[in-house]
């Protein structure tokens, strides 16, 4: 059973370990020192950021990290995407990773995305859609989104998370189901 809980400062060593794994580091390109993890995840863990950092748990065992935010809480990202796709006022975005390499490629990511999307509809009752830009080269990521019911709505040139990547992104979205 997939469940979620907010990241706390006690989780920072786990996040640093996951971020150092090659399958994660390739796409997240994140510093893994204790100071960098505290700097980049601390405000969210303390509730000082409008975004959420959340652990995905499979039967109680942490398996992944998810981030969630309203697009319009970060206007600089809206401004970057707007030339390619109009971001609805109540749109939410997510980011995600599966922490351990041996868990990748077995459908866990898709299950986590399905459950996290459902959780987003519950926690953000005004959200109209979830919109996720993904580096075009990160095929496993956008394929997991497709399997979770997302569809490609645009192609965009956006600042990549990893500077070695081109700016090419696919923009995936899913609309809130009819009530």
């Amino acid at each position: 059973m997939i469940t979620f809980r907010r990241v706390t400062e006690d989780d920072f060593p786990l996040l640093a370990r996951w971020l150092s794994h090659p399958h994660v580091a390739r796409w997240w390109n994140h510093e893994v020192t204790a100071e960098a993890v505290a700097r980049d995840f601390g405000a969210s863990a303390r509730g000082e950021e409008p975004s959420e950092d959340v652990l995905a748990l499979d039967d109680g065992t942490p398996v992944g990290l998810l981030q969630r935010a309203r697009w319009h809480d970060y206007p600089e990202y809206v401004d970057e995407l707007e030339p390619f796709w109009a971001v609805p006022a109540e749109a939410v975005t997510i980011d995600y990773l599966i922490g351990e390499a041996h868990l990748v490629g077995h459908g866990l990511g898709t299950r986590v995305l399905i459950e996290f999307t459902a959780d987003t509809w519950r926690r953000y009752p005004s959200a109209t859609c979830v919109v996720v830009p993904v580096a075009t080269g990160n095929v496993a990521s956008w394929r997991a989104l497709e399997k979770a019911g997302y569809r490609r709505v645009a192609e965009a040139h956006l600042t990549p998370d990893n500077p070695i990547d081109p700016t090419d992104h696919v923009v995936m979205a899913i609309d809130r189901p009819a009530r």
Side-chain angles (χ1 to χ4, degrees):
M1 177 155 128
I2 304 294
T3 57
F4 306 100
R5 73 164 173 78
R6 288 292 293 253
V7 166
T8 69
E9 292 180 357
D10 291 339
D11 298 315
F12 292 176
L14 174 64
L15 297 184
R17 192 183 74 199
W18 284 349
L19 291 165
S20 73
H21 291 325
H23 78 283
V24 174
R26 168 61 187 90
W27 299 108
W28 279 65
N29 190 44
H30 199 284
E31 293 178 56
V32 296
T33 65
E35 297 79 21
V37 172
R39 175 193 69 222
D40 295 339
F41 294 94
S44 176
R46 293 186 302 274
E48 300 167 358
E49 234 348 93
S51 66
E52 298 175 87
D53 294 327
V54 178
L55 286 184
L57 308 155
D58 187 9
D59 291 330
T61 300
V63 295
L65 170 69
L66 297 111
Q67 297 178 314
R68 176 170 49 197
R70 289 181 179 91
W71 271 92
H72 287 273
D73 285 341
Y74 296 89
E76 65 276 18
Y77 295 123
V78 173
D79 291 346
E80 188 177 18
L81 184 56
E82 282 285 339
F84 306 100
W85 195 72
V87 180
E90 295 298 327
V92 171
T93 190
I94 61 173
D95 203 353
Y96 43 87
L97 63 85
I98 298 298
E100 302 295 338
H102 73 275
L103 298 175
V104 174
H106 305 287
L108 178 62
T110 299
R111 286 180 38 223
V112 167
L113 287 167
I114 289 168
E115 293 301 326
F116 198 59
T117 301
D119 186 69
T120 299
W121 303 140
R122 287 187 294 274
R123 293 192 37 84
Y124 292 78
S126 64
T128 56
C129 59
V130 179
V131 180
V132 185
V134 179
T136 302
N138 193 348
V139 176
S141 181
W142 56 262
R143 287 289 297 138
L145 286 164
E146 284 180 339
K147 292 174 187 171
Y150 287 69
R151 71 193 185 291
R152 187 181 298 210
V153 296
E155 295 178 2
H157 292 283
L158 306 171
T159 305
D161 291 331
N162 191 331
I164 69 169
D165 288 322
T167 61
D168 301 339
H169 284 70
V170 295
V171 181
M172 307 294 291
I174 191 167
D175 294 323
R176 176 183 285 279
R179 296 174 200 202

